[in-house]
Amino acid sequence: MNPFQIKEAPVVYDVAIVGSGAGGGMAAYMLAKAGAKVVLLEAGGYFDPADPKYITQLKWPYESPRRGANTTRPFGDFDAAWGGWQIDGEPYTAKTGTEFHWFRSRMLGGRTNHWGRISLRFGPDDFRRGSLTGVGDDWPITYDDVAPYYDRVDKLIGVFGSKEGLRNEPDGQFLPPPKPRLHELMIQKAAKGIGIPVIPSRLAILTKAINNERGQCFYCNQCGRGCQAYADFSASSVLCIPAIKTGNVTLINGAMCREVTTDSKTGLATGVSFVHTGTMQEHSVRAKTVMLGASACESARILLNSKSALHPNGLANSSGVVGKYLNDSTGASRGAFVPALMDRDRYNEDGVGGMHVFTPWWLDNKKLDFPRGYHIEYGGGMGMPGFGFGFGTENMNGKYPTANGTMKPAGGYGSGLKEDVRRFYGAYVHMAGRGEPVPLESNYCEIDPDKVDKYGIPTLRFNYKWSDYEVKQAKHMQDTFEEIFHAMGAIPMGNKPGPDTNHGYGLEAPGKIIHEVGTVRMGKDPNNSALNAYQQAHDCKNLFVVDAAPFVSQGDKNVTLTILANSMRTSEFVIDQVKKKNI
Amino acid sequence: MKRRDTLKALGFSGITFGLAVGPAEAGVPLPPDKKVPLKVPGGRQPFEAERDAKLHADKFFTPQELKTVTILSDIIIPADAKSGSATQAGVPAFIEFMMKDIPANQTPMRGGLAWLDNTCRKRYGKPFADCTRAQQIEMVDQIAYPQKAKKDMSQGVAFFNMMRNFVVCGFYTSKIGIEDLGYKGNTPNQWEGVPEPVLKKFGLSYS
């Protein structure tokens, strides 16, 4: 047998799904439960948060020789995500003068294994920014279209929160929220006094058990490491593994997708070709329907690489829109020292993996010089020490008196230094703004004409610049952080980020917040969108995209919950269309 | 074109020595691989386990450097009434590892140690580790207080700041350091909110 021939599986699956994260995982779950024969292609390895082979949860810093430093994993040794912004053999580039940082997690469940579990619904306004503000575009669907799916996703994955009745922050089917920590109570009280709301956060963590398959949260603060009790939502534990258990899913790990194959006469999708990362062997699988959930940029890349006589610009791209309107959340942050929290009483305040309270967007953009809002995430408390703990003590211990009121020179050593470290422990707070950018046609990814990855697949080249809207929003974030710090008697650390800090007022580089969306946008008009309201390709009726690529905008809401709801909605549409013999 | 010129045009001239294994040698079977397969610890990817094993096998500090690092570690974090010292917590081994794990640390660390020895030789005629305890402390006092230090000590201050960072971090991420700090978490529990006496102390409540 010729070892270089392409290996083609003889079966024709009902559905081939590329990617096992929130979007692909949900599609696999829904379709497998409905009885469809599914092949699930995942570029990375197998991962189960409950398998000791993979567990980092409850490990101590000294179980890592680098004490959890981020040398090989961007979020540290104990973080669940494999991969990162740079992966050996999988390069990408950016046009001169622009930048984008592309985080990829090659593993079952993808980036949901380490995500922040922040589960905010897009509100009614988030679907119609174009008509409300004259900037940006409307979605082809409304909140009412998605609301029933949000309800079902909430119940399926488990989300805690509180009923607040805020119009553009719709309440969900919530589990009880955990009580705020001490610094969160201080923030809440201070912010309330200056008119900034602070409400219980909304995270996909089980504060109560919801079934027999998943345990209840045991408050270790380590959702980012993946949960061996399945007490938080990851696509691996909550969607993929249960989908595989139905017996209807063929999971292929190490499947690096090259392109969607199409029929040369009808132009319809016939399956997916991929390179096996372990053997470097070319394979193809055949399927009646193809669903891409490879992540916004990866799905765009696959489509742009799927060129044929009938699809000369790449698949689903007769409009030329694929790759365009790429947008990531804005992010800016600041830390502060809280003198009142020096020499704290010690107790376990780990809580859930993330903030117990947050600030939803509370202002009217019509009265501001930037068109979109942001929310604020809060951090702080007596956390587990890790790499970097105690760095820069010389910048603190000369500024504040000791417990008996004497001032000491900055720096030092010896038992006095140990006293200082104990004194300052847990006395810091942190604020991070996460905002909505305005999607621009001029921010895009495209196929790099000169480069391929180690599998021979043409790679992406990015072109992304923040606009003035995002810079002004970041400036507003910094002003707000200081207002709250001052109101709670906290002292901001370092200099206030100004116009020259980072991308302006501390604005993070595009891609750093890992909320990229928009590259295969949906819309009513096939001339300026790639997908219809069901995330079905205008140009190819048996092709669907179920990750964040179809998003027309992203609100200031983290995108995973909406990926899940949209993927569930699309999956039911696929089932319905198959029943009606439309595809 | 002559063969020599052809090779030149292809950019191959002068690199024939680069072929380590000629065709004749390649035909000889390689000796059996005696490498013991690496056991990948839980939570690590294979490439990470391999990298860690290699870093552990490598050595960065010379015995003399390690001696100085050890002395400085226990000056920065000595044993006191509450807990043990930096060396009891394994801090020098942690610093050794971090030099290899993040190589950008190597020059400032190695250079800083050399600066320290050189300065001690000028002042006391001996490298730091061979000085008396009193001389060592006198030296450290010159570089441990950034705002009080003399101008000509600035490189020493930068080095000592780096050393303090690594020692404090290494100690407080160790088992005895975490106990000293009083961190109570990383264990299954039920979060019921801030303890009542703490709420009272801060004039806060959940109602």
Side-chain angles (χ1 to χ4, degrees):
Chain A
M1 187 182 138
N2 177 358
F4 296 108
Q5 78 181 33
I6 294 169
K7 290 194 172 174
E8 186 161 340
V11 264
V12 179
Y13 292 96
D14 291 320
V15 187
I17 298 170
V18 181
S20 64
M26 176 62 87
Y29 181 89
M30 295 297 291
L31 288 154
K33 292 264 177 187
K37 294 295 174 195
V38 175
V39 60
L40 178 58
L41 304 171
E42 166 51 50
Y46 188 76
F47 181 79
D48 177 350
D51 185 333
K53 248 197 306 212
Y54 310 113
I55 291 175
T56 56
Q57 190 184 30
L58 296 180
K59 285 194 194 292
W60 292 95
Y62 46 83
E63 293 179 72
S64 152
R66 61 185 63 75
R67 309 289 160 89
N70 66 351
T71 321
T72 62
R73 301 187 192 197
F75 294 93
D77 258 3
F78 301 111
D79 187 69
W82 300 339
W85 282 286
Q86 297 297 335
I87 299 177
D88 270 354
E90 299 184 37
Y92 58 88
T93 49
K95 278 195 168 168
T96 314
T98 81
E99 77 184 286
F100 190 82
H101 302 265
W102 186 21
F103 193 105
R104 291 150 293 168
S105 199
R106 303 300 194 197
M107 63 199 300
L108 188 69
R111 296 178 286 189
T112 64
N113 289 302
H114 87 140
W115 72 304
R117 271 77 184 182
I118 299 172
S119 302
L120 307 174
R121 293 182 179 206
F122 286 22
D125 294 353
D126 294 318
F127 291 92
R128 45 195 296 268
R129 287 291 171 204
S131 50
L132 283 174
T133 69
V135 178
D137 295 297
D138 288 357
W139 289 53
I141 52 177
T142 65
Y143 176 72
D144 292 337
D145 292 318
V146 188
Y149 297 93
Y150 276 138
D151 284 344
R152 288 166 62 192
V153 169
D154 283 349
K155 285 180 186 158
L156 174 64
I157 72 171
V159 177
F160 72 70
S162 57
K163 301 262 184 204
E164 301 286 336
L166 301 168
R167 201 185 57 82
N168 201 44
E169 308 286 336
D171 296 327
Q173 305 292 321
F174 292 136
L175 300 169
K179 286 179 178 171
R181 304 175 179 96
L182 181 59
H183 67 274
E184 293 170 329
L185 285 171
M186 294 169 84
I187 289 168
Q188 195 163 33
K189 188 177 168 190
K192 201 177 163 191
I194 53 173
I196 298 172
V198 176
I199 64 170
S201 58
R202 296 169 171 186
L203 309 184
I205 298 168
L206 303 186
T207 49
K208 269 167 104 174
I210 57 170
N211 58 37
N212 294 328
E213 277 79 54
R214 299 172 58 199
Q216 188 201 313
C217 177
F218 54 78
Y219 303 96
C220 74
N221 191 251
Q222 296 166 24
C223 293
R225 301 183 181 197
C227 185
Q228 56 195 288
Y230 295 170
D232 58 14
F233 168 77
S234 292
S236 54
S237 55
V238 180
L239 299 174
C240 296
I241 292 168
I244 293 161
K245 279 191 184 148
T246 63
N248 289 330
V249 175
T250 303
L251 169 68
I252 305 180
N253 285 107
M256 186 65 69
C257 185
R258 179 186 294 283
E259 58 189 283
V260 176
T261 52
T262 50
D263 184 276
S264 60
K265 292 194 187 78
T266 63
L268 292 173
T270 56
V272 174
S273 75
F274 65 90
V275 183
H276 192 275
T277 57
T279 64
M280 298 299 273
Q281 175 80 45
E282 291 279 342
H283 295 260
S284 72
V285 288
R286 298 173 65 196
K288 295 173 193 162
T289 295
V290 173
M291 301 174 86
L292 298 182
S295 84
C297 297
E298 195 73 72
S299 288
R301 179 185 175 206
I302 292 166
L303 291 174
L304 292 170
N305 276 329
S306 304
K307 284 185 182 171
S308 61
L310 286 176
H311 304 288
N313 292 330
L315 189 54
N317 195 28
S318 60
S319 64
V321 81
V322 173
K324 292 174 180 168
Y325 298 100
L326 169 63
N327 65 102
D328 185 24
S329 287
T330 58
S333 61
R334 189 102 188 264
F337 173 64
V338 188
L341 289 175
M342 283 195 287
D343 294 313
R344 296 183 61 175
D345 293 309
R346 305 305 205 238
Y347 55 91
N348 181 350
E349 69 166 1
D350 279 349
V352 303
M355 61 200 179
H356 291 188
V357 298
F358 84 116
T359 290
W361 179 236
W362 71 105
L363 295 172
D364 181 355
N365 288 98
K366 284 188 193 111
K367 297 171 187 160
L368 298 162
D369 64 351
F370 56 98
R372 300 288 193 269
Y374 60 89
H375 72 253
I376 307 173
E377 303 175 3
Y378 300 107
M382 296 183 284
M384 183 157 48
F387 184 75
F389 181 88
F391 274 37
T393 303
E394 72 276 9
N395 299 322
M396 295 301 296
N397 65 353
K399 282 186 192 154
Y400 303 96
T402 62
N404 61 28
T406 54
M407 291 301 291
K408 296 202 307 191
Y413 59 89
S415 56
L417 180 65
K418 289 170 96 172
E419 280 163 22
D420 294 339
V421 174
R422 294 170 196 139
R423 183 163 165 76
F424 291 117
Y425 173 58
Y428 299 91
V429 290
H430 187 261
M431 301 186 183
R434 293 288 179 264
E436 177 176 7
V438 174
L440 299 173
E441 195 179 2
S442 56
N443 286 338
Y444 58 86
C445 57
E446 62 186 347
I447 298 300
D448 190 318
D450 305 324
K451 297 209 162 56
V452 291
D453 64 13
K454 70 172 173 184
Y455 309 105
I457 304 170
T459 58
L460 286 180
R461 179 168 69 184
F462 291 92
N463 185 95
Y464 196 120
K465 273 183 171 174
W466 290 123
S467 76
D468 212 30
Y469 295 141
E470 288 79 33
V471 176
K472 283 178 172 157
Q473 188 193 57
K475 180 178 188 297
H476 194 274
M477 290 180 191
Q478 296 294 354
D479 293 340
T480 305
F481 300 156
E482 284 210 340
E483 277 178 52
I484 303 173
F485 286 146
H486 291 148
M488 66 186 289
I491 299 157
M493 308 280 287
N495 294 323
K496 185 175 182 180
D500 299 322
T501 314
N502 214 345
H503 287 257
Y505 304 96
L507 180 59
E508 296 283 352
K512 283 289 184 183
I513 309 303
I514 325 181
H515 294 162
E516 70 277 7
V517 311
T519 46
V520 191
R521 57 166 35 190
M522 54 165 114
K524 284 180 178 148
D525 183 353
N527 291 312
N528 57 27
S529 63
L531 310 168
N532 68 16
Y534 287 99
Q535 308 190 121
Q536 179 182 33
H538 291 303
D539 300 345
C540 180
K541 66 178 182 180
N542 65 341
L543 173 72
F544 298 82
V545 182
V546 291
D547 49 33
F551 286 32
V552 178
S553 61
Q554 62 170 293
D556 65 76
K557 320 292 171 65
N558 309 50
V559 295
T560 306
L561 188 76
T562 302
I563 295 174
L564 290 166
N566 284 351
S567 179
M568 182 186 262
R569 181 169 175 269
T570 291
S571 299
E572 293 207 328
F573 176 76
V574 168
I575 295 161
D576 176 66
Q577 291 297 296
V578 169
K579 277 184 189 152
K580 289 178 180 153
K581 301 203 189 306
N582 288 338
I583 50 173
Chain B
M1 204 187 254
K2 286 179 185 163
R3 183 178 174 272
R4 189 192 168 91
D5 292 333
T6 312
L7 286 175
K8 212 173 189 176
L10 291 170
F12 283 165
S13 65
I15 62 150
T16 43
F17 295 112
L19 292 171
V21 179
E25 289 170 80
V28 180
L30 291 167
D33 193 356
K34 281 184 194 149
K35 226 171 77 184
V36 183
L38 183 72
K39 198 185 169 296
V40 179
R44 298 279 79 199
Q45 299 167 85
F47 89 88
E48 292 171 316
E50 276 169 36
R51 187 176 176 276
D52 285 357
K54 190 188 169 299
L55 295 186
H56 278 303
D58 291 349
K59 259 199 163 46
F60 175 72
F61 287 129
T62 65
Q64 182 68 19
E65 286 173 335
L66 191 59
K67 210 169 148 191
T68 306
V69 167
T70 303
I71 297 166
L72 285 172
S73 295
D74 276 355
I75 289 174
I76 292 168
I77 299 280
D80 64 5
K82 192 163 182 190
S83 68
S85 70
T87 52
Q88 285 166 350
V91 166
F94 162 69
I95 299 176
E96 159 79 21
F97 184 87
M98 291 317 295
M99 295 303 113
K100 297 171 296 198
D101 192 48
I102 308 177
N105 291 312
Q106 292 180 2
T107 298
M109 176 61 75
R110 174 149 284 152
L113 290 166
W115 180 96
L116 185 67
D117 278 348
N118 184 46
T119 308
C120 285
R121 271 192 212 98
K122 279 184 200 158
R123 294 170 77 104
Y124 313 116
K126 282 173 286 188
F128 181 81
D130 297 341
C131 291
T132 65
R133 181 72 178 176
Q135 287 168 335
Q136 287 172 346
I137 295 298
E138 192 181 68
M139 182 66 243
V140 165
D141 280 337
Q142 301 293 308
I143 56 178
Y145 302 97
Q147 286 156 18
K148 286 169 54 182
K150 294 203 181 94
K151 265 190 180 157
D152 63 349
M153 287 289 128
S154 59
Q155 288 85 2
V157 167
F159 164 69
F160 197 81
N161 281 345
M162 178 191 193
M163 199 52 140
R164 188 194 297 106
N165 282 347
F166 274 108
V167 173
V168 169
C169 173
F171 180 77
Y172 281 104
T173 52
S174 74
K175 196 165 190 294
I176 62 174
I178 289 168
E179 229 162 80
D180 171 305
L181 201 59
Y183 169 66
K184 304 285 187 201
N186 197 32
T187 184
N189 72 104
Q190 178 68 40
W191 167 255
E192 303 281 13
V194 180
E196 196 53 43
V198 177
L199 282 178
K200 242 188 212 146
K201 202 163 153 183
F202 285 86
L204 294 163
S205 74
Y206 284 116
S207 49

